[in-house]
Amino acid sequence: MKLSSQAQAFVLHFGEMGSRWGFNRTVGQMFALLTIHSEPVNADQLAEALKISRGNVSMGLKELQAWRLIELHHQPGDRKDYFTAAGSIWDLARTVFEERRKRELDPTLTLLRQLLLTEPGDEQEAEAQKKIQEVYSLLEMLDQFANTLSKLDEKDLLKLMKLGSGLSKLLELKSRATGAAGKAGAKKAPARK
Amino acid sequence: MKLSSQAQAFVLHFGEMGSRWGFNRTVGQMFALLTIHSEPVNADQLAEALKISRGNVSMGLKELQAWRLIELHHQPGDRKDYFTAAGSIWDLARTVFEERRKRELDPTLTLLRQLLLTEPGDEQEAEAQKKIQEVYSLLEMLDQFANTLSKLDEKDLLKLMKLGSGLSKLLELKSRATGAAGKAGAKKAPARK
DNA sequence: TACAATTTTCAGAAATTTCTGAAAGTTAAG
DNA sequence: CTTAACTTTCAGAAATTTCTGAAAATTGTA
Protein backbone atom coordinates (compact mmCIF):
# COMPACT_ATOMS: atom_id res chain seq x y z
CA MET A 1 0.00 0.00 0.00
CA LYS A 2 1.46 3.28 -1.09
CA LEU A 3 0.64 6.49 0.73
CA SER A 4 0.51 9.83 -1.05
CA SER A 5 2.73 12.46 0.52
CA GLN A 6 -0.41 14.08 1.81
CA ALA A 7 -1.60 10.89 3.48
CA GLN A 8 1.92 10.39 4.76
CA ALA A 9 1.91 13.80 6.44
CA PHE A 10 -1.53 13.20 7.93
CA VAL A 11 -0.53 9.84 9.32
CA LEU A 12 2.76 11.03 10.75
CA HIS A 13 1.11 13.98 12.41
CA PHE A 14 -1.50 11.84 14.08
CA GLY A 15 1.31 9.64 15.26
CA GLU A 16 2.97 12.58 16.93
CA MET A 17 -0.25 13.92 18.41
CA GLY A 18 -1.26 10.45 19.48
CA SER A 19 0.31 10.68 22.90
CA ARG A 20 -1.60 13.86 23.63
CA TRP A 21 -4.82 12.12 22.71
CA GLY A 22 -4.21 9.07 24.82
CA PHE A 23 -2.53 6.52 22.60
CA ASN A 24 0.99 5.88 21.39
CA ARG A 25 2.56 6.85 18.11
CA THR A 26 1.89 3.75 16.08
CA VAL A 27 -1.68 3.45 17.30
CA GLY A 28 -2.21 7.06 16.27
CA GLN A 29 -0.77 6.32 12.85
CA MET A 30 -2.89 3.26 12.37
CA PHE A 31 -6.01 5.16 13.29
CA ALA A 32 -5.13 8.02 10.94
CA LEU A 33 -4.49 5.63 8.09
CA LEU A 34 -7.78 3.84 8.60
CA THR A 35 -9.50 7.19 8.78
CA ILE A 36 -8.34 8.61 5.47
CA HIS A 37 -8.42 5.28 3.67
CA SER A 38 -11.99 4.42 2.85
CA GLU A 39 -11.28 0.84 1.75
CA PRO A 40 -10.81 -1.83 4.43
CA VAL A 41 -7.16 -2.53 5.26
CA ASN A 42 -5.58 -5.66 6.69
CA ALA A 43 -2.86 -6.03 9.28
CA ASP A 44 -0.11 -6.82 6.78
CA GLN A 45 -0.94 -3.74 4.77
CA LEU A 46 -0.79 -1.60 7.89
CA ALA A 47 2.57 -3.07 8.88
CA GLU A 48 3.95 -2.44 5.42
CA ALA A 49 2.56 1.07 5.00
CA LEU A 50 3.70 2.21 8.42
CA LYS A 51 6.92 0.18 8.46
CA ILE A 52 6.21 -1.40 11.79
CA SER A 53 6.24 -4.99 12.95
CA ARG A 54 3.32 -7.31 12.50
CA GLY A 55 3.15 -7.87 16.24
CA ASN A 56 2.89 -4.17 16.92
CA VAL A 57 0.04 -3.92 14.46
CA SER A 58 -1.79 -6.69 16.24
CA MET A 59 -1.46 -4.92 19.57
CA GLY A 60 -2.47 -1.59 18.09
CA LEU A 61 -5.57 -3.04 16.51
CA LYS A 62 -6.51 -4.53 19.83
CA GLU A 63 -6.22 -1.16 21.48
CA LEU A 64 -8.22 0.60 18.78
CA GLN A 65 -10.92 -2.00 19.24
CA ALA A 66 -10.92 -1.33 22.96
CA TRP A 67 -11.49 2.33 22.11
CA ARG A 68 -14.29 1.17 19.79
CA LEU A 69 -12.72 3.21 17.00
CA ILE A 70 -12.41 0.51 14.37
CA GLU A 71 -14.56 -2.15 12.83
CA LEU A 72 -13.71 -5.63 11.63
CA HIS A 73 -14.69 -6.73 8.12
CA HIS A 74 -14.15 -9.78 5.97
CA GLN A 75 -13.62 -10.04 2.27
CA PRO A 76 -15.18 -13.06 0.59
CA GLY A 77 -12.58 -15.71 -0.15
CA ASP A 78 -9.96 -14.07 2.06
CA ARG A 79 -9.22 -15.28 5.53
CA LYS A 80 -7.50 -12.08 6.62
CA ASP A 81 -9.15 -9.59 8.94
CA TYR A 82 -9.83 -6.21 7.40
CA PHE A 83 -10.47 -3.01 9.30
CA THR A 84 -12.06 0.37 8.75
CA ALA A 85 -12.62 3.36 10.98
CA ALA A 86 -15.91 2.86 12.83
CA GLY A 87 -18.54 5.26 11.57
CA SER A 88 -18.34 8.85 10.39
CA ILE A 89 -15.80 11.38 11.54
CA TRP A 90 -18.53 12.65 13.77
CA ASP A 91 -18.99 9.24 15.38
CA LEU A 92 -15.27 8.91 15.89
CA ALA A 93 -15.05 12.27 17.62
CA ARG A 94 -17.91 11.34 19.89
CA THR A 95 -16.28 8.05 20.78
CA VAL A 96 -12.92 9.62 21.55
CA PHE A 97 -14.67 12.24 23.66
CA GLU A 98 -16.59 9.68 25.68
CA GLU A 99 -13.64 7.39 26.08
CA ARG A 100 -11.44 10.20 27.31
CA ARG A 101 -14.03 11.35 29.78
CA LYS A 102 -14.12 7.85 31.16
CA ARG A 103 -10.36 7.67 31.49
CA GLU A 104 -9.61 11.19 32.65
CA LEU A 105 -12.51 11.97 34.93
CA ASP A 106 -14.06 8.84 36.36
CA PRO A 107 -11.09 7.53 38.34
CA THR A 108 -10.53 10.90 39.93
CA LEU A 109 -14.18 11.32 40.84
CA THR A 110 -14.13 7.91 42.48
CA LEU A 111 -11.09 8.74 44.56
CA LEU A 112 -12.30 12.16 45.63
CA ARG A 113 -15.67 10.77 46.63
CA GLN A 114 -13.81 8.37 48.87
CA LEU A 115 -11.58 11.04 50.37
CA LEU A 116 -14.61 13.13 51.23
CA LEU A 117 -16.03 10.33 53.38
CA THR A 118 -13.37 10.56 56.09
CA GLU A 119 -13.82 13.33 58.60
CA PRO A 120 -10.93 15.79 58.87
CA GLY A 121 -8.90 15.33 62.05
CA ASP A 122 -7.50 18.81 62.49
CA GLU A 123 -7.63 22.34 61.12
CA GLN A 124 -5.07 21.61 58.41
CA GLU A 125 -7.06 18.65 57.21
CA ALA A 126 -10.31 20.56 57.25
CA GLU A 127 -8.70 23.12 54.99
CA ALA A 128 -7.55 20.41 52.59
CA GLN A 129 -10.95 18.76 52.71
CA LYS A 130 -12.52 22.02 51.62
CA LYS A 131 -10.25 22.20 48.61
CA ILE A 132 -10.95 18.59 47.75
CA GLN A 133 -14.63 19.36 47.90
CA GLU A 134 -14.19 22.24 45.49
CA VAL A 135 -12.24 20.13 43.04
CA TYR A 136 -14.82 17.40 43.33
CA SER A 137 -17.75 19.72 42.70
CA LEU A 138 -16.10 21.14 39.63
CA LEU A 139 -15.13 17.80 38.13
CA GLU A 140 -18.52 16.33 38.92
CA MET A 141 -20.21 19.19 37.11
CA LEU A 142 -17.84 18.85 34.18
CA ASP A 143 -18.58 15.16 34.01
CA GLN A 144 -22.31 15.77 33.97
CA PHE A 145 -21.94 18.39 31.31
CA ALA A 146 -19.86 16.04 29.17
CA ASN A 147 -22.58 13.49 29.65
CA THR A 148 -25.24 15.94 28.54
CA LEU A 149 -23.24 16.82 25.44
CA SER A 150 -22.77 13.15 24.61
CA LYS A 151 -26.49 12.67 24.58
CA LEU A 152 -27.26 15.49 22.18
CA ASP A 153 -27.95 14.41 18.65
CA GLU A 154 -25.73 15.64 15.87
CA LYS A 155 -28.10 18.38 14.81
CA ASP A 156 -28.31 19.94 18.27
CA LEU A 157 -24.63 19.56 18.90
CA LEU A 158 -23.92 21.39 15.65
CA LYS A 159 -26.37 24.08 16.58
CA LEU A 160 -24.78 24.55 19.98
CA MET A 161 -21.23 24.66 18.69
CA LYS A 162 -22.11 27.18 16.02
CA LEU A 163 -23.73 29.56 18.45
CA GLY A 164 -20.60 31.53 19.17
CA SER A 165 -21.36 34.70 21.04
CA GLY A 166 -25.03 33.82 20.67
CA LEU A 167 -24.52 31.35 23.49
CA SER A 168 -24.43 33.88 26.30
CA LYS A 169 -27.43 35.63 24.79
CA LEU A 170 -29.28 32.36 24.74
CA LEU A 171 -28.41 31.73 28.38
CA GLU A 172 -29.73 35.13 29.25
CA LEU A 173 -32.87 34.35 27.32
CA LYS A 174 -33.21 31.23 29.38
CA SER A 175 -33.12 33.14 32.66
CA ARG A 176 -35.88 35.40 31.44
CA ALA A 177 -37.98 32.56 30.12
CA THR A 178 -37.83 30.34 33.20
CA GLY A 179 -37.12 32.78 35.98
CA ALA A 180 -34.39 32.48 38.61
CA ALA A 181 -35.15 28.86 39.53
CA GLY A 182 -32.98 26.61 37.41
CA LYS A 183 -32.81 22.84 37.31
CA ALA A 184 -32.13 20.64 40.33
CA GLY A 185 -28.79 21.40 41.91
CA ALA A 186 -28.81 25.06 40.98
CA LYS A 187 -29.87 26.16 44.40
CA LYS A 188 -29.33 29.58 45.87
CA ALA A 189 -26.98 31.86 44.05
CA PRO A 190 -24.74 33.14 46.87
CA ALA A 191 -23.90 36.82 46.72
CA ARG A 192 -20.59 37.34 44.95
CA LYS A 193 -17.75 38.61 47.12
CA MET B 1 6.21 19.44 55.66
CA LYS B 2 4.05 16.57 56.70
CA LEU B 3 1.14 15.43 54.56
CA SER B 4 -1.99 13.93 56.09
CA SER B 5 -2.88 10.54 54.64
CA GLN B 6 -5.72 12.26 52.84
CA ALA B 7 -3.42 14.80 51.27
CA GLN B 8 -1.03 11.98 50.49
CA ALA B 9 -3.70 10.09 48.58
CA PHE B 10 -4.79 13.20 46.72
CA VAL B 11 -1.24 14.02 45.70
CA LEU B 12 -0.38 10.49 44.61
CA HIS B 13 -3.53 10.22 42.56
CA PHE B 14 -2.85 13.45 40.72
CA GLY B 15 0.61 12.14 40.05
CA GLU B 16 -0.82 9.06 38.42
CA MET B 17 -3.42 10.97 36.45
CA GLY B 18 -0.88 13.57 35.51
CA SER B 19 0.18 11.86 32.32
CA ARG B 20 -3.41 11.76 31.13
CA TRP B 21 -3.71 15.46 31.77
CA GLY B 22 -0.56 16.41 29.95
CA PHE B 23 2.21 16.47 32.54
CA ASN B 24 4.41 13.91 34.24
CA ARG B 25 3.99 12.30 37.61
CA THR B 26 6.02 14.64 39.74
CA VAL B 27 4.59 17.74 38.09
CA GLY B 28 1.13 16.37 38.79
CA GLN B 29 2.07 15.78 42.40
CA MET B 30 3.51 19.23 42.82
CA PHE B 31 0.42 20.81 41.40
CA ALA B 32 -1.85 18.76 43.62
CA LEU B 33 0.15 19.68 46.69
CA LEU B 34 0.06 23.37 45.88
CA THR B 35 -3.65 23.05 45.26
CA ILE B 36 -4.67 21.57 48.60
CA HIS B 37 -2.13 23.53 50.59
CA SER B 38 -3.33 27.09 51.00
CA GLU B 39 -0.05 28.43 52.41
CA PRO B 40 2.79 29.22 50.00
CA VAL B 41 5.37 26.45 49.69
CA ASN B 42 9.01 26.65 48.68
CA ALA B 43 11.04 24.32 46.51
CA ASP B 44 12.82 22.59 49.38
CA GLN B 45 9.52 21.84 51.07
CA LEU B 46 8.18 20.35 47.87
CA ALA B 47 11.26 18.19 47.41
CA GLU B 48 11.01 16.96 50.97
CA ALA B 49 7.26 16.33 50.97
CA LEU B 50 7.29 14.51 47.67
CA LYS B 51 10.66 12.83 48.17
CA ILE B 52 12.07 13.99 44.88
CA SER B 53 15.27 15.77 43.98
CA ARG B 54 15.70 19.50 44.20
CA GLY B 55 16.53 19.63 40.49
CA ASN B 56 13.35 17.88 39.56
CA VAL B 57 11.36 20.35 41.61
CA SER B 58 13.00 23.21 39.80
CA MET B 59 12.07 21.75 36.41
CA GLY B 60 8.56 20.99 37.54
CA LEU B 61 7.99 24.50 38.80
CA LYS B 62 9.20 25.83 35.49
CA GLU B 63 6.68 23.69 33.69
CA LEU B 64 3.83 24.68 35.99
CA GLN B 65 4.72 28.29 35.37
CA ALA B 66 4.61 27.67 31.62
CA TRP B 67 1.10 26.32 32.16
CA ARG B 68 0.37 29.46 34.19
CA LEU B 69 -0.90 27.27 36.99
CA ILE B 70 1.22 28.61 39.83
CA GLU B 71 2.19 31.95 41.24
CA LEU B 72 5.42 33.14 42.77
CA HIS B 73 5.41 34.83 46.19
CA HIS B 74 8.00 36.11 48.59
CA GLN B 75 8.07 36.10 52.32
CA PRO B 76 9.65 39.14 53.96
CA GLY B 77 13.15 38.39 55.16
CA ASP B 78 13.37 35.11 53.23
CA ARG B 79 15.17 34.88 49.93
CA LYS B 80 13.48 31.65 48.92
CA ASP B 81 10.78 31.56 46.25
CA TYR B 82 7.38 30.48 47.48
CA PHE B 83 4.57 29.19 45.31
CA THR B 84 0.81 28.80 45.42
CA ALA B 85 -1.72 27.54 42.93
CA ALA B 86 -2.77 30.44 40.73
CA GLY B 87 -6.32 31.52 41.48
CA SER B 88 -9.39 29.56 42.41
CA ILE B 89 -10.10 25.98 41.43
CA TRP B 90 -12.29 27.47 38.77
CA ASP B 91 -9.44 29.54 37.37
CA LEU B 92 -7.20 26.51 37.37
CA ALA B 93 -9.71 24.44 35.44
CA ARG B 94 -10.10 27.19 32.91
CA THR B 95 -6.36 27.47 32.46
CA VAL B 96 -5.89 23.75 32.02
CA PHE B 97 -8.74 23.71 29.53
CA GLU B 98 -7.28 26.52 27.45
CA GLU B 99 -3.79 25.18 27.61
CA ARG B 100 -4.89 21.76 26.48
CA ARG B 101 -6.87 23.19 23.61
CA LYS B 102 -3.76 25.00 22.52
CA ARG B 103 -1.64 21.87 22.68
CA GLU B 104 -4.11 19.31 21.39
CA LEU B 105 -5.98 21.22 18.69
CA ASP B 106 -3.92 24.08 17.31
CA PRO B 107 -1.03 22.10 15.83
CA THR B 108 -3.40 19.75 14.07
CA LEU B 109 -5.51 22.57 12.68
CA THR B 110 -2.39 24.20 11.31
CA LEU B 111 -1.26 21.03 9.59
CA LEU B 112 -4.65 20.20 8.12
CA ARG B 113 -5.06 23.72 6.80
CA GLN B 114 -1.78 23.25 5.00
CA LEU B 115 -2.71 19.86 3.61
CA LEU B 116 -5.92 21.27 2.21
CA LEU B 117 -4.01 23.78 0.13
CA THR B 118 -2.49 21.23 -2.25
CA GLU B 119 -4.76 19.98 -5.00
CA PRO B 120 -5.34 16.22 -5.07
CA GLY B 121 -3.47 14.53 -7.92
CA ASP B 122 -5.66 11.47 -8.44
CA GLU B 123 -8.89 9.83 -7.38
CA GLN B 124 -7.32 8.21 -4.33
CA GLU B 125 -5.98 11.54 -3.17
CA ALA B 126 -9.26 13.31 -3.77
CA GLU B 127 -10.89 10.77 -1.51
CA ALA B 128 -8.31 11.37 1.21
CA GLN B 129 -8.63 15.11 0.78
CA LYS B 130 -12.35 14.83 1.41
CA LYS B 131 -11.73 13.02 4.69
CA ILE B 132 -9.13 15.54 5.71
CA GLN B 133 -11.65 18.27 5.04
CA GLU B 134 -14.19 16.54 7.27
CA VAL B 135 -11.71 16.16 10.09
CA TYR B 136 -10.68 19.75 9.67
CA SER B 137 -14.23 21.07 9.76
CA LEU B 138 -15.00 19.16 12.89
CA LEU B 139 -11.86 20.17 14.75
CA GLU B 140 -12.22 23.75 13.65
CA MET B 141 -15.74 23.83 15.00
CA LEU B 142 -14.64 22.19 18.24
CA ASP B 143 -11.90 24.77 18.59
CA GLN B 144 -14.33 27.62 18.11
CA PHE B 145 -16.72 26.13 20.59
CA ALA B 146 -13.93 25.75 23.13
CA ASN B 147 -13.08 29.34 22.50
CA THR B 148 -16.66 30.38 23.08
CA LEU B 149 -16.79 28.45 26.33
CA SER B 150 -13.53 30.02 27.49
CA LYS B 151 -15.02 33.44 27.08
CA LEU B 152 -18.13 32.79 29.15
CA ASP B 153 -18.00 34.19 32.63
CA GLU B 154 -18.28 31.87 35.58
CA LYS B 155 -21.94 32.53 36.09
CA ASP B 156 -22.95 31.65 32.54
CA LEU B 157 -20.66 28.65 32.43
CA LEU B 158 -22.23 27.34 35.58
CA LYS B 159 -25.68 27.95 34.20
CA LEU B 160 -24.82 26.10 30.99
CA MET B 161 -23.26 23.12 32.70
CA LYS B 162 -26.18 22.73 35.06
CA LEU B 163 -28.73 22.71 32.28
CA GLY B 164 -28.71 18.96 31.80
CA SER B 165 -31.56 17.83 29.63
CA GLY B 166 -32.71 21.42 29.59
CA LEU B 167 -30.01 22.09 27.05
CA SER B 168 -31.75 20.51 24.10
CA LYS B 169 -34.96 22.26 25.11
CA LEU B 170 -33.14 25.54 25.18
CA LEU B 171 -31.72 24.88 21.72
CA GLU B 172 -35.20 24.20 20.47
CA LEU B 173 -36.35 27.40 22.07
CA LYS B 174 -33.62 29.19 20.23
CA SER B 175 -34.86 27.92 16.84
CA ARG B 176 -38.33 29.22 17.57
CA ALA B 177 -37.12 32.53 18.91
CA THR B 178 -34.85 33.43 16.03
CA GLY B 179 -36.61 31.67 13.19
CA ALA B 180 -35.01 29.42 10.57
CA ALA B 181 -32.06 31.70 9.89
CA GLY B 182 -29.42 30.81 12.45
CA LYS B 183 -25.78 31.78 12.34
CA ALA B 184 -23.63 31.01 9.31
CA GLY B 185 -23.74 27.29 8.49
CA ALA B 186 -26.88 26.47 10.45
CA LYS B 187 -29.12 26.30 7.42
CA LYS B 188 -32.65 25.01 7.21
CA ALA B 189 -34.49 24.06 10.37
CA PRO B 190 -36.50 20.96 9.41
CA ALA B 191 -40.04 20.74 10.73
CA ARG B 192 -40.18 19.48 14.30
CA LYS B 193 -41.32 15.90 14.81
C1' DT C 1 33.74 43.81 45.24
C1' DA C 2 33.12 39.28 47.74
C1' DC C 3 30.21 36.03 49.56
C1' DA C 4 26.59 33.14 50.79
C1' DA C 5 21.95 31.75 49.69
C1' DT C 6 19.29 30.11 46.29
C1' DT C 7 17.86 28.49 41.72
C1' DT C 8 18.83 26.44 37.27
C1' DT C 9 21.01 23.42 34.20
C1' DC C 10 22.19 19.26 32.20
C1' DA C 11 24.88 14.80 31.56
C1' DG C 12 24.17 10.53 32.66
C1' DA C 13 21.33 6.98 35.44
C1' DA C 14 17.02 4.99 36.21
C1' DA C 15 12.45 4.04 35.03
C1' DT C 16 8.99 3.47 31.81
C1' DT C 17 7.01 2.76 27.42
C1' DT C 18 7.06 1.04 22.97
C1' DC C 19 8.48 -2.16 19.50
C1' DT C 20 10.22 -6.43 17.43
C1' DG C 21 10.13 -11.04 15.94
C1' DA C 22 9.99 -15.72 16.90
C1' DA C 23 7.04 -19.00 18.97
C1' DA C 24 2.53 -20.35 20.32
C1' DG C 25 -2.27 -20.20 19.41
C1' DT C 26 -6.39 -20.28 16.42
C1' DT C 27 -9.22 -21.39 12.60
C1' DA C 28 -10.92 -22.74 8.11
C1' DA C 29 -10.39 -25.92 4.35
C1' DG C 30 -9.21 -30.24 2.45
C1' DC D 1 -7.06 -35.21 11.46
C1' DT D 2 -3.63 -32.37 9.12
C1' DT D 3 -2.06 -28.51 7.15
C1' DA D 4 -1.55 -23.92 5.88
C1' DA D 5 -3.06 -19.22 6.63
C1' DC D 6 -3.48 -16.11 9.71
C1' DT D 7 -3.45 -13.77 14.48
C1' DT D 8 -1.87 -13.15 19.12
C1' DT D 9 1.41 -13.23 22.69
C1' DC D 10 5.27 -11.93 25.18
C1' DA D 11 10.35 -11.81 26.53
C1' DG D 12 13.73 -9.03 25.70
C1' DA D 13 15.69 -4.97 22.84
C1' DA D 14 15.27 -0.33 21.65
C1' DA D 15 13.56 4.15 22.26
C1' DT D 16 11.86 7.61 25.08
C1' DT D 17 10.89 9.97 29.23
C1' DT D 18 11.82 11.16 33.75
C1' DC D 19 14.84 11.87 37.58
C1' DT D 20 19.08 12.80 40.16
C1' DG D 21 22.74 15.44 41.94
C1' DA D 22 26.76 17.98 41.35
C1' DA D 23 28.35 22.00 39.03
C1' DA D 24 27.26 26.47 37.11
C1' DA D 25 24.59 30.52 37.18
C1' DT D 26 22.05 34.06 39.51
C1' DT D 27 20.81 37.20 43.06
C1' DG D 28 20.56 39.90 47.27
C1' DT D 29 23.41 41.71 51.01
C1' DA D 30 27.15 43.82 53.05
Side-chain angles (χ1 to χ4, degrees), chain B residues 126-142:
Chain B
E127 197 62 38
Q129 186 95 334
K130 224 167 73 189
K131 279 290 167 71
I132 292 175
Q133 174 66 59
E134 284 179 48
V135 174
Y136 178 73
S137 301
L138 187 127
L139 292 183
E140 166 70 18
M141 192 167 61
L142 243 183

Side-chain angles (χ1 to χ4, degrees), chain A residues 6 13 20 89-90 100 103-104 108 111 115 129 134 138 141 148 159 161-162 164 175 183, chain B residues 6 13 20 89-90 100 103-104 108 111 115 129 134 138 141 148 159 161 163-164 175 183:
Chain A
Q6 198 181 33
H13 179 80
R20 297 205 174 147
I89 301 290
W90 195 267
R100 287 184 75 182
R103 291 164 199 235
E104 296 178 5
T108 300
L111 176 83
L115 290 185
Q129 186 96 334
E134 284 180 47
L138 187 126
M141 191 169 60
T148 300
K159 207 191 286 180
M161 302 220 292
K162 296 262 182 179
S175 307
K183 237 189 74 69
Chain B
Q6 198 180 32
H13 179 80
R20 297 205 174 147
I89 301 290
W90 193 267
R100 287 184 75 180
R103 291 164 198 236
E104 295 178 5
T108 301
L111 177 84
L115 290 183
Q129 186 95 334
E134 284 179 48
L138 187 127
M141 192 167 61
T148 300
K159 207 191 287 182
M161 303 219 291
L163 274 176
S175 309
K183 238 189 76 70

Side-chain angles (χ1 to χ4, degrees), chain B residues 53-180:
Chain B
S53 75
R54 188 57 187 70
N56 196 2
V57 170
S58 181
M59 293 188 294
L61 288 171
K62 214 171 89 184
E63 184 167 355
L64 286 171
Q65 284 178 302
W67 278 80
R68 310 195 314 282
L69 288 172
I70 59 174
E71 230 161 48
L72 176 61
H73 299 269
H74 282 111
Q75 316 260 310
D78 189 340
R79 282 171 60 181
K80 286 197 176 69
D81 291 346
Y82 284 77
F83 296 88
T84 58
S88 68
I89 301 290
W90 193 267
D91 294 329
L92 294 178
R94 196 185 283 268
T95 301
V96 171
F97 182 73
E98 278 171 23
E99 207 69 30
R100 287 184 75 180
R101 173 167 71 92
K102 205 180 301 170
R103 291 164 198 236
E104 295 178 5
L105 250 35
D106 287 1
T108 301
L109 287 174
T110 300
L111 177 84
L112 297 187
R113 221 172 272 133
Q114 208 158 4
L115 290 183
L116 289 173
L117 290 178
T118 63
E119 279 306 305
D122 57 17
E123 182 51 43
Q124 177 93 341
E125 262 182 65
E127 197 62 38
Q129 186 95 334
K130 224 167 73 189
K131 279 290 167 71
I132 292 175
Q133 174 66 59
E134 284 179 48
V135 174
Y136 178 73
S137 301
L138 187 127
L139 292 183
E140 166 70 18
M141 192 167 61
L142 243 183
D143 192 55
Q144 303 242 108
F145 184 52
N147 196 40
T148 300
L149 290 182
S150 287
K151 282 185 188 141
L152 288 184
D153 62 32
E154 187 171 330
K155 191 167 51 60
D156 279 349
L157 210 38
L158 208 71
K159 207 191 287 182
L160 175 62
M161 303 219 291
K162 296 261 182 179
L163 274 176
S165 62
L167 181 52
S168 52
K169 287 191 198 102
L170 189 62
L171 287 168
E172 213 179 299
L173 187 74
K174 189 252 174 189
S175 309
R176 290 213 215 92
T178 63

Side-chain angles (χ1 to χ4, degrees), chain A residues 32-81:
Chain A
L33 179 43
L34 292 174
T35 298
I36 36 167
H37 203 271
S38 31
E39 299 303 308
V41 175
N42 67 41
D44 287 330
Q45 293 174 308
L46 281 171
E48 190 215 332
L50 303 177
K51 310 241 195 305
I52 58 179
S53 76
R54 186 60 185 69
N56 197 2
V57 169
S58 182
M59 292 189 293
L61 288 170
K62 213 172 90 183
E63 184 168 354
L64 286 171
Q65 284 178 302
W67 277 79
R68 308 193 316 281
L69 288 172
I70 59 174
E71 231 160 47
L72 176 61
H73 299 271
H74 283 110
Q75 316 260 312
D78 188 340
R79 282 173 57 184
K80 286 196 176 70
D81 291 345

